[in-house]
Amino acid sequence: MLKVRGRFGPLIGSIDEGTSSTRFLIFSANTAEVLTYHQLPITHITPKEGWVEQDPCVILQSVIETINVTCDNLKKLDIDPVDIVAVGITNQRETTVVWDSKTGKPLYNALVWLDMRTSTTVDKILLNGKRNKNFLKPLCGLPVSTYFSAVKLRWLMDNVEEVQVAIKENRCMFGTIDTWLIWNLTGGINGGLHITDVTNASRTMLMNIDTLQWDPQLCKVFGIPINILPTIKSSSEIYGYLSESVLCGVPISGCLGDQQAALVGQMCFHQGQAKSTYGTGCFLLYNTGTVIVQSSHGLLTTIAYQLGPNKPAFYALEGSVAVAGVAMQWLHDNLEILEHAKDSGEIAQGVDKVGEVSFVPAFSGLYAPYWRKDARSVICGLTEETKPAHLIKAALESVAFQTRDILEAMALDCGYPLSKLLVDGGMTANNYLMQIQADYCGIPVVRPLMTETTALGAAIAAGYASGVEVWDLENIQSVSSDVFTPAITENQRDMKYARWKMAIARSLDWADDNEEEVDEGLPAISKLEDEVEEDKSSVLNGLPGGLFLLTTFGVLIIAQMITNRYLPK
Ligand SMILES: Nc1ncnc2c1ncn2[C@@H]1O[C@H](COP(=O)(O)OP(=O)(O)O)[C@@H](O)[C@H]1O
Ligand SMILES: O=P(O)(O)OC[C@H](O)CO
């Protein structure tokens, strides 16, 4: 075990690369408090409607800069950065990067998880509706959607000549943001590690959630060469050592997708515990222990964490909401009716009842539990009394209602409702949102005083692998919290939720997929349709259509039985 250093004990650094910003935070292992941090915003590049990109080099530079500035801040506090014994990484998931292993240069901008350009790729994989969108769920836990990395990678292979050539010449590397960062921070073209962790890998659609390995069957469906994929590691082990920034030589020993990191940071180590993180999007994860539970109500099955190479993987059911904080950004950037996101609560609180609207922010279609890429945003109930403040209020309400949608699905899958909701993330600073969340869901909302739980989760994983004794998981204590309790009647709650459901119904069937732009660029490397046709002879898909569906339903029913059998009532 590491001996206690300095007055704060060993320190752990945590890189938190979110969709909206990059942060580097320093935690004291003794107290789990944040000693200092630095944050830089990350720009979204939107070349076309529905396209969302980021520059991987900007992301990397922001990480290095936040590390360097944070270490300078530490020195100003009279703390020696030499006390940093380990670094953890947590990141926006699914966002897809391809780069050249010889030059280290990205072959294209990162395709951000919110990006919708792969709509036609999804249609091709689903044979224009002939396949059920859940046909790969038994293998990877995910529906076929624009959200996940495999379709984004497929689009890059079909449309970017540099990617095609690099694959042919065996110098193309694929990774999610964790992989891109670790490869660069551990040496890049001079021997950087090409790795990912199980939680990030479980968001690609290419990893088998049972074996925790890349699945040849899944790779075949998407036509993805397995040799461009990183090696899958656990979420907590010494992967390698930093060769960049002022922290050269410090081990990187923790890595988790940001939503899974928040689950760890909220200390949800037991089956039946759940948390919801409100950042750019909003993600509710429910720990199902070491049991794989397949949802029958639109939730994902994902890896929650694996805290060591020889430790068991824990699983989670996840409800993913694409638009949460990004709606605030839209009100600010596009409509120019909200100066600062932090003002939204106060504005909503003071709004007149007359002129109220419902707003479904389906900018990227709707994710869980609907999975409708044809949905688009709607504002319902506009009158001449409606003012900008009504829309700001409705945007906050949409986050609370989308979370209720997830809780409803979760209760159906698990057989019982959650008794409280643990929350974290940038948006939870908004007391108004937290109160309406409690009101609209009818359960207490519990917000830790230290809301940097995502970064804390990565720090816990890193400290655990580096032998920081005080972060032995058995000893870890939950942090103190604020609690928001429901303050409206059940009748009021149900009436409001019924309105929301009416608005949801109006948002569906809007984008006509046939009218969507066909992918531009170069012809496909290989014809996906042929591969999928050929694929029908495989173990998973070699059944006649009806039998295939029956098999899928059979698996779901068995999963439901397992759920009922193993999850606590
Ligand atoms: N007080 C607030 N009220 C409403 N939204 C907020 C507030 N503070 C931050 N946000 C929103 O939360 C998001 C940032 O949260 P954060 O957890 O840092 O996101 P990410 O991890 O996705 O980068 C932004 O979209 C911002 O608009
Ligand atoms: O940037 P966040 O915190 O909204 O997280 C993004 C998710 O990881 C996308 O799956």
Side-chain angles (χ1 to χ4, degrees), residues 337-363:
I337 59 171
L338 179 64
E339 205 171 336
H340 302 291
K342 67 176 167 48
D343 301 335
S344 57
E346 205 175 319
I347 295 169
Q349 188 105 48
V351 85
D352 225 328
K353 245 195 138 352
V354 182
E356 280 194 339
V357 289
S358 294
F359 173 32
V360 179
F363 301 141

Side-chain angles (χ1 to χ4, degrees), residues 328 344-345 348 392-400 427 430 432-433 436:
M328 298 294 118
S344 57
I392 293 169
K393 179 179 177 190
L396 290 174
E397 288 186 319
S398 75
V399 178
M427 267 196 121
N430 190 315
Y432 174 80
L433 173 62
I436 59 169

Side-chain angles (χ1 to χ4, degrees), residues 9 59 78 93 167 223 269-270 316 408 433 478-479 558:
I59 292 177
D78 210 18
R93 308 164 303 167
I167 288 176
F269 294 121
H270 297 290
E408 299 273 326
L433 173 62
S478 299
V479 278
I558 291 165

Side-chain angles (χ1 to χ4, degrees), residues 142-185:
L142 312 171
V144 180
S145 155
T146 57
Y147 181 20
F148 304 107
S149 314
V151 280
K152 297 183 194 297
L153 180 52
R154 182 70 229 177
W155 185 93
L156 289 163
M157 289 167 61
D158 285 346
N159 292 279
V160 182
E161 186 173 11
E162 287 82 350
V163 176
Q164 299 173 356
V165 175
I167 288 176
K168 227 182 254 165
E169 295 177 358
N170 208 17
R171 53 184 174 78
C172 179
M173 283 183 160
F174 154 84
T176 39
I177 294 296
D178 55 314
T179 304
W180 165 247
L181 291 178
I182 292 175
W183 186 78
N184 278 288
L185 294 174

Side-chain angles (χ1 to χ4, degrees), residues 207-257:
M207 190 187 81
N208 183 306
I209 50 171
D210 187 28
T211 65
L212 309 181
Q213 297 299 321
W214 300 124
D215 187 299
Q217 182 70 38
L218 291 168
C219 290
K220 195 173 166 205
V221 169
F222 293 99
I224 287 170
I226 229 161
N227 67 324
I228 70 171
L229 306 179
T231 304
I232 302 173
K233 299 273 186 181
S234 78
S235 317
S236 176
E237 61 184 279
I238 296 181
Y239 309 113
Y241 298 84
L242 282 158
S243 68
E244 284 293 327
S245 84
V246 293
L247 292 183
C248 257
V250 175
I252 303 175
S253 51
C255 179
L256 296 133

Side-chain angles (χ1 to χ4, degrees), residues 23 59 89-90 130 139 157 192 211 249 267 278 282 320 344 394 415 418 439 460 472-473 481 495 536 540 563:
R23 280 179 277 228
I59 292 177
I89 294 185
T90 179
K130 283 190 211 111
L139 288 179
M157 289 167 61
T211 65
M267 322 294 170
Y278 300 68
C282 181
S320 327
S344 57
L418 279 184
D439 290 345
I460 288 172
D472 185 324
L473 299 187
S481 339
M495 275 167 56
K536 279 182 177 163
L540 180 68
T563 310

Side-chain angles (χ1 to χ4, degrees), residues 8-245:
F8 295 103
L11 308 181
I12 316 284
S14 186
I15 297 166
D16 179 358
E17 204 297 301
T19 319
S20 306
S21 72
T22 297
R23 280 179 277 228
F24 184 66
L25 305 90
I26 304 292
F27 288 92
S28 153
N30 283 356
T31 60
E33 81 187 288
V34 179
L35 300 182
T36 182
Y37 76 99
H38 188 62
Q39 179 170 14
L40 289 171
I42 301 289
T43 316
H44 291 190
I45 305 160
T46 49
K48 286 189 188 184
E49 194 176 36
W51 291 29
V52 188
E53 302 175 1
Q54 286 177 337
D55 182 340
C57 296
V58 167
I59 292 177
L60 176 63
Q61 278 318 310
S62 73
V63 168
I64 294 171
E65 191 180 333
T66 52
I67 293 177
N68 290 339
V69 174
T70 306
C71 289
D72 280 347
N73 293 347
L74 260 190
K75 286 185 204 149
K76 286 182 200 146
L77 294 172
D78 210 18
I79 303 169
D80 194 341
V82 117
D83 284 353
I84 300 173
V85 297
V87 166
I89 294 185
T90 179
N91 54 285
Q92 53 171 314
R93 308 164 303 167
E94 300 96 16
T95 298
T96 298
V97 190
V98 279
W99 68 97
D100 185 328
S101 60
K102 298 278 185 294
T103 65
K105 297 228 164 71
L107 297 164
Y108 200 79
N109 272 337
L111 301 193
V112 175
W113 58 277
L114 286 164
D115 190 292
M116 291 277 285
R117 79 187 63 190
T118 51
S119 186
T120 46
T121 314
V122 166
D123 289 338
K124 281 186 201 167
I125 291 161
L126 295 177
L127 302 176
N128 288 318
K130 283 190 211 111
R131 282 180 181 276
N132 185 303
K133 64 184 165 222
N134 291 323
F135 86 107
L136 297 172
K137 246 183 144 192
L139 288 179
C140 63
L142 312 171
V144 180
S145 155
T146 57
Y147 181 20
F148 304 107
S149 314
V151 280
K152 297 183 194 297
L153 180 52
R154 182 70 229 177
W155 185 93
L156 289 163
M157 289 167 61
D158 285 346
N159 292 279
V160 182
E161 186 173 11
E162 287 82 350
V163 176
Q164 299 173 356
V165 175
I167 288 176
K168 227 182 254 165
E169 295 177 358
N170 208 17
R171 53 184 174 78
C172 179
M173 283 183 160
F174 154 84
T176 39
I177 294 296
D178 55 314
T179 304
W180 165 247
L181 291 178
I182 292 175
W183 186 78
N184 278 288
L185 294 174
T186 58
I189 51 173
N190 302 311
L193 297 168
H194 190 214
I195 60 166
T196 187
D197 92 298
V198 278
T199 65
N200 277 295
S202 73
R203 315 298 298 189
T204 59
M205 289 204 86
L206 299 173
M207 190 187 81
N208 183 306
I209 50 171
D210 187 28
T211 65
L212 309 181
Q213 297 299 321
W214 300 124
D215 187 299
Q217 182 70 38
L218 291 168
C219 290
K220 195 173 166 205
V221 169
F222 293 99
I224 287 170
I226 229 161
N227 67 324
I228 70 171
L229 306 179
T231 304
I232 302 173
K233 299 273 186 181
S234 78
S235 317
S236 176
E237 61 184 279
I238 296 181
Y239 309 113
Y241 298 84
L242 282 158
S243 68
E244 284 293 327
S245 84

